[in-house]
Amino acid sequence: MSPPRSQTQTRAETQVQTRPAPRPLPPPDDPRLLEDWRRRLDAVPEEVRTLLAEVVAAGGPALADHFYGDMLEDPRASRYLNVDQVRERLKPSLQRWLAELLSAGADGVEALHATQEHVGHVHARIGIPVDLVSRGARRLKDDLHAGIRQRAGSEGLALEAILCADGLVDIALESMTRAYSRSRDAAGQVDGAFRLFSLIQNIGTERERQRALLLTWENALLYALTSDAPGPAAPLQLSRSEFGLWFLHKGMASFGDTAETREVNLIAARMDSTLRARLPEATTAAARRELLDELRAGADAIRSLVTMMFDGIGDLESGRDALTRLLNRRFLPTILRREIALQANTGRQFAVLMLDLDHFKSINDTHGHEAGDRALKHVAALLVENTRGSDYLFRYGGEEFVVVLGSVSLDDAIAIAEGLRNAIASSPVVLADGTSLPLTASIGVAVQDGHPDYERVLARADAAMYQAKRGGRDRVVVDDGGLPDPPGVRALRG
């Protein structure tokens, strides 16, 4: 085995090679938002800008006290906020946010918008009710009004400053809420996909069953329209068939509101309408044959769409890593959100283990990628064998794995992590030529500390795992809240 390069260099390279680049946030779907924001900032007179800066500088601590004091009185806030967190981090952050918002020039709109987007996405990850934020913004504006009136030299200046401050707070809140909505919608889609992934055990069988039911409807239609007395249209409608009922009650719930499901509904409704309108007038065999051909063309279109939708469910196998058969990172946010909610409701702690195979690049370089694949599958099997049925196992990327341990203490989490480390170290992988290749892993452990943002516990586990690498590998390190950030990972400070 070739000698490894420096630990820091190898780790940084591994992150670049194996971790997907973060996807850029989509631009706002209404460019008028930034245009309006830029216009408002351009129109702020210098004396108003100066007055607002004085109000924030003099009253910032009191503004933050009132904002969070009012919010903390809501019983729901206890899940997202605590007194220490508010005092040490959130109040200073709010004062900085307000100062930046009210002092920015028109050339700072993009940065302002990016900040609101970030805040909105964090609020969505945490699940903080949007009305709490709106209520806080309303209280914030009331306090700003009072400070402006106290410091303005004239009613005219006070009115102009109040209108300016209200407009800037409102547009920031709009930007924040748009990001919040996008994140919640995306999370809901993934959560729904996970439910479907969990419930559908044999996608191929279900797909063929529904295709067969659609064919059964076609055969019944064929039999009716080629007979001398086809009967009334109602029993022949696709919406009344077994396939139609399945699609209405289960298919739509499973596939969701997509372009494909809307198209199926549109085609089916058009087919039923055509059948009702034309069957009574189709008194000849030729007319009925023409009607049959048109309806079967619609059924063909529906069959193609249904196949596409089931293939999309098949893509949920992308939720399961093709090589190791563990879950991949797609469903990790869903699981962590559920564990955070469970902890909030029951007090049950959970922990995250971040596991990285040591010297994995050397395995690929020395023995080839087939050996690397064998090593990954071997480790995945060991994770399955040495964890509980209630634990979630993910291939996080490249040679990294994540284990989510539910209902554990810190001692439990450390014991499981040490068991995994020992199992890997004592079980070499056998290569295709019969060679036994020893493996070791570095594992970081982080127990959820009650913070509602799941990315924090991931970042803490990652920092601990990096420390295990730096400390010599083949070891378990527990995050104590004071570890430095790993290379390439931005600590979440929001």
Side-chain angles (χ1 to χ4, degrees):
M1 184 179 295
S2 59
R5 282 181 268 183
S6 74
Q7 295 165 359
T8 302
Q9 180 184 14
T10 303
R11 169 67 175 162
E13 289 175 348
T14 297
Q15 288 184 326
V16 170
Q17 292 166 358
T18 64
R19 289 195 177 175
R23 289 178 294 179
L25 295 175
D29 51 10
D30 186 354
R32 293 173 299 176
L33 179 68
L34 293 187
E35 292 171 8
D36 186 28
W37 207 336
R38 195 173 287 108
R39 177 183 59 77
R40 288 173 182 274
L41 290 174
D42 263 334
V44 178
E46 192 58 37
E47 59 179 345
V48 169
R49 197 183 301 277
T50 300
L51 174 59
L52 293 177
E54 291 175 355
V55 169
V56 173
L63 289 169
D65 285 343
H66 293 165
F67 180 91
Y68 283 111
D70 187 64
M71 189 176 290
L72 285 170
E73 290 178 3
D74 191 305
R76 296 172 296 166
S78 62
R79 176 176 170 183
Y80 314 99
L81 305 172
N82 61 60
V83 175
D84 290 339
Q85 179 189 33
V86 167
R87 181 183 64 251
E88 296 172 7
R89 188 169 56 83
L90 296 181
K91 285 184 179 179
S93 293
L94 177 66
Q95 294 174 56
R96 288 194 301 272
W97 173 82
L98 194 57
E100 292 169 1
L101 177 66
L102 298 182
S103 66
D107 58 350
V109 166
E110 286 77 9
L112 279 176
H113 175 67
T115 297
Q116 315 319 310
E117 289 257 300
H118 172 71
V119 173
H121 286 295
V122 170
H123 287 174
R125 281 203 307 269
I126 294 172
I128 189 168
V130 70
D131 63 285
L132 280 183
V133 180
S134 298
R135 184 194 305 165
R138 175 164 49 83
R139 179 61 182 268
L140 192 62
K141 289 192 291 186
D142 288 344
D143 286 348
L144 282 172
H145 296 172
I148 290 169
R149 289 193 181 96
Q150 183 179 2
R151 289 183 168 269
S154 68
E155 277 297 318
L157 179 59
L159 178 60
E160 192 171 7
I162 286 171
L163 291 175
C164 176
D166 282 1
L168 293 176
V169 171
D170 287 345
I171 202 166
L173 193 63
E174 179 184 345
S175 178
M176 201 181 295
T177 303
R178 291 165 74 90
Y180 180 97
S181 298
R182 288 204 307 275
S183 278
R184 295 293 284 181
D185 289 346
Q189 291 174 5
V190 175
D191 290 354
F194 179 74
R195 288 193 295 271
L196 188 62
F197 177 80
S198 301
L199 292 174
I200 293 185
Q201 300 300 315
N202 194 326
I203 295 169
T205 299
E206 186 66 21
R207 177 182 56 203
E208 294 310 312
R209 179 172 180 268
Q210 296 310 320
R211 287 170 61 92
L213 288 176
L214 186 57
L215 181 60
T216 297
W217 172 82
E218 283 189 80
N219 288 337
L221 185 70
L222 174 64
Y223 178 80
L225 294 185
T226 55
S227 66
D228 292 334
L236 298 176
Q237 292 180 123
L238 181 59
S239 59
R240 296 197 178 191
S241 70
E242 192 171 349
F243 168 83
L245 293 173
W246 169 84
F247 190 80
L248 175 65
H249 293 287
K250 286 193 173 180
M252 286 290 293
S254 297
F255 298 122
D257 183 19
T258 67
E260 290 81 9
T261 55
R262 289 193 293 270
E263 184 68 13
V264 168
N265 280 329
L266 183 64
I267 294 172
R270 188 165 57 235
M271 290 166 62
D272 285 352
S273 177
T274 299
L275 184 63
R276 290 193 303 270
R278 291 174 50 186
L279 182 59
E281 301 172 358
T283 56
T284 66
R288 290 197 293 272
R289 181 69 193 186
E290 182 181 349
L291 176 59
L292 176 64
D293 289 344
E294 185 174 335
L295 295 174
R296 293 181 75 178
D300 284 341
I302 288 177
R303 184 179 294 105
S304 296
L305 288 165
V306 168
T307 299
M308 288 173 57
M309 287 185 283
F310 270 108
D311 287 345
I313 294 179
D315 287 344
L316 287 176
E317 284 296 307
S318 67
R320 192 176 294 282
D321 178 58
L323 177 67
T324 64
R325 308 309 297 160
L326 303 181
L327 292 172
N328 70 21
R329 62 193 293 158
R330 177 184 183 187
F331 293 133
L332 184 56
T334 296
I335 298 306
L336 292 177
R337 280 196 301 269
R338 293 170 78 176
E339 289 295 331
I340 286 171
L342 185 63
Q343 184 190 32
N345 293 331
T346 68
R348 291 173 177 260
Q349 279 189 311
F350 72 93
V352 172
L353 313 184
M354 185 79 76
L355 182 152
D356 187 282
L357 288 186
D358 298 326
H359 304 304
F360 183 75
K361 187 175 185 300
S362 295
I363 295 174
N364 279 333
D365 290 346
T366 305
H367 302 280
H369 287 282
E370 193 274 339
D373 288 349
R374 278 180 177 258
L376 292 172
K377 289 192 286 187
H378 179 70
V379 169
L382 291 173
L383 294 182
V384 173
E385 292 170 9
N386 291 276
T387 52
R388 306 164 302 173
S390 59
D391 301 328
Y392 287 95
L393 308 175
F394 297 85
R395 184 182 177 193
Y396 194 59
E399 71 275 27
E400 286 186 326
F401 299 85
V402 167
V403 182
V404 179
L405 307 172
S407 298
V408 292
S409 65
L410 176 59
D411 289 342
D412 295 332
I414 294 172
I416 293 172
E418 286 288 359
L420 291 174
R421 184 201 60 77
N422 183 65
I424 293 168
S426 60
S427 179
V429 61
V430 179
L431 304 183
D433 62 2
T435 302
S436 290
L437 184 66
L439 301 172
T440 60
S442 300
I443 304 176
V445 179
V447 174
Q448 169 66 355
D449 58 6
H451 195 284
D453 190 347
Y454 62 81
E455 287 203 10
R456 289 182 180 274
V457 70
L458 279 175
R460 290 170 47 226
D462 197 38
M465 185 263 286
Y466 177 60
Q467 287 299 109
K469 289 284 190 186
R470 292 190 61 185
R473 297 181 168 88
D474 187 23
R475 64 192 59 210
V476 172
V477 170
V478 180
D479 167 69
D480 59 4
L483 294 177
D485 300 326
V489 175
R490 178 179 62 83
L492 297 170
R493 307 283 185 199

